[in-house]
Amino acid sequence: RYRGIPRYRSMWSASESSGSRAGRGTVIVCPGGNYEFLCPNEGLPVAAWLVHHGINACVLKYRLLPRHDHEAAVDDLWEAARCVRARCGGLVAALGFSAGGHLIASLAARGGRGAGEGPAAEHALDAQVLVYPGLDGRDWLKPDSCGFFDIEPCIARAPTLLARQTALLGGRGFAAAPTLLVASTGDEMCPPEGHCDPYAEALSKHGVAHRYLREDFGPHGFGLDGGWTGAKSEKAKD
């Protein structure tokens, strides 16, 4: 863990200690968990997989509902990207699952700036990978479909999750770094039609470089499984 970098845990390969990976870039992993917790299979195992493939990686432990609102989580990602870029050099990307994908897309829509700052000249991230992201947040406002365990206090904070709803679905304010988008036709929680399809259309409309992997990778929460990281989807290797 680096001192002075809040709320994220670094995980490096053994060769990192010799400086052989300096300046080669880093991926910040953002687990899902409906903004109420962090899914274990979408955190450290993903960072370990990236390190195994020669990519520096760390896991962001962003602030969660109901104690914090959504803007605090976006600030955490912005600060992590800023610190990683300053300390490690090279490109900085983020890989997020479910709510973690929503978080990454939200930072892009905010313009890559820190809280209280004016518009940024460039994105905080050089690239993003969104895996079954929950981009249409309207269910977070409904007690019967929000998915929260601690329903009342989380729903009280839920409107902050929709602050950039229009932009995330391709409307005014849409912005994104080059993107790998992964959606499963077997995902009933975040079906592509309501989440990834509009985002992919917006990426095309705005001329953002992207790849969209859309097939049956399994139900929501498949993490690194389902085949999207391997031979079943060769495009993911790019």
Side-chain angles (χ1 to χ4, degrees):
R1 180 184 297 229
Y2 284 119
R3 294 179 182 177
I5 303 181
R7 288 176 290 277
Y8 81 90
R9 198 181 319 172
S10 299
M11 186 173 184
W12 307 97
S13 69
S15 62
E16 179 62 23
S17 60
S18 65
S20 61
R21 293 176 185 270
R24 290 184 55 184
T26 302
V27 174
I28 301 169
V29 179
C30 299
N34 209 33
Y35 283 110
E36 197 176 8
F37 59 94
L38 300 178
C39 291
N41 69 306
E42 297 169 353
L44 288 176
V46 178
W49 173 74
L50 289 165
V51 168
H52 176 73
H53 287 279
I55 302 170
N56 297 330
C58 60
V59 179
L60 178 66
K61 299 171 69 176
Y62 54 90
R63 286 173 283 182
L64 302 168
L65 304 181
R67 185 174 181 180
H68 304 282
D69 63 17
H70 181 243
E71 208 65 17
V74 180
D75 287 342
D76 289 344
L77 178 54
W78 179 86
E79 180 67 14
R82 185 188 68 81
C83 291
V84 166
R85 192 181 300 280
R87 289 174 178 253
C88 305
L91 302 177
V92 180
L95 189 167
F97 301 84
S98 194
H102 178 274
L103 173 61
I104 295 167
S106 296
L107 177 62
R110 189 169 81 174
R113 60 187 185 275
E117 294 189 353
E122 57 186 29
H123 295 296
L125 299 169
D126 297 297
Q128 58 183 24
V129 181
L130 311 181
V131 185
Y132 46 84
L135 299 172
D136 183 348
R138 287 174 291 184
D139 281 348
W140 279 317
L141 301 178
K142 305 172 185 177
D144 60 342
S145 60
C146 63
F148 296 130
F149 290 100
D150 200 1
I151 295 178
E152 289 187 7
C154 285
I155 281 190
R157 294 278 197 181
T160 68
L161 300 175
L162 277 71
R164 298 175 182 87
Q165 171 88 350
T166 299
L168 295 188
L169 295 179
R172 183 177 181 181
F174 178 86
T179 301
L180 172 61
L181 189 62
V182 182
S184 175
T185 56
D187 186 347
E188 296 183 357
M189 186 173 296
C190 294
E193 295 82 3
H195 297 266
C196 286
D197 287 358
Y199 200 83
E201 291 175 9
L203 291 169
S204 296
K205 178 181 177 181
H206 290 267
V208 178
H210 68 283
R211 292 183 184 274
Y212 186 18
L213 307 182
R214 187 187 194 277
E215 56 185 275
D216 189 359
F217 296 116
H220 193 82
F222 51 83
L224 294 175
D225 298 327
W228 70 273
T229 63
K232 185 176 180 181
S233 296
E234 289 294 327
K235 292 180 180 179
K237 296 183 179 180
D238 297 335

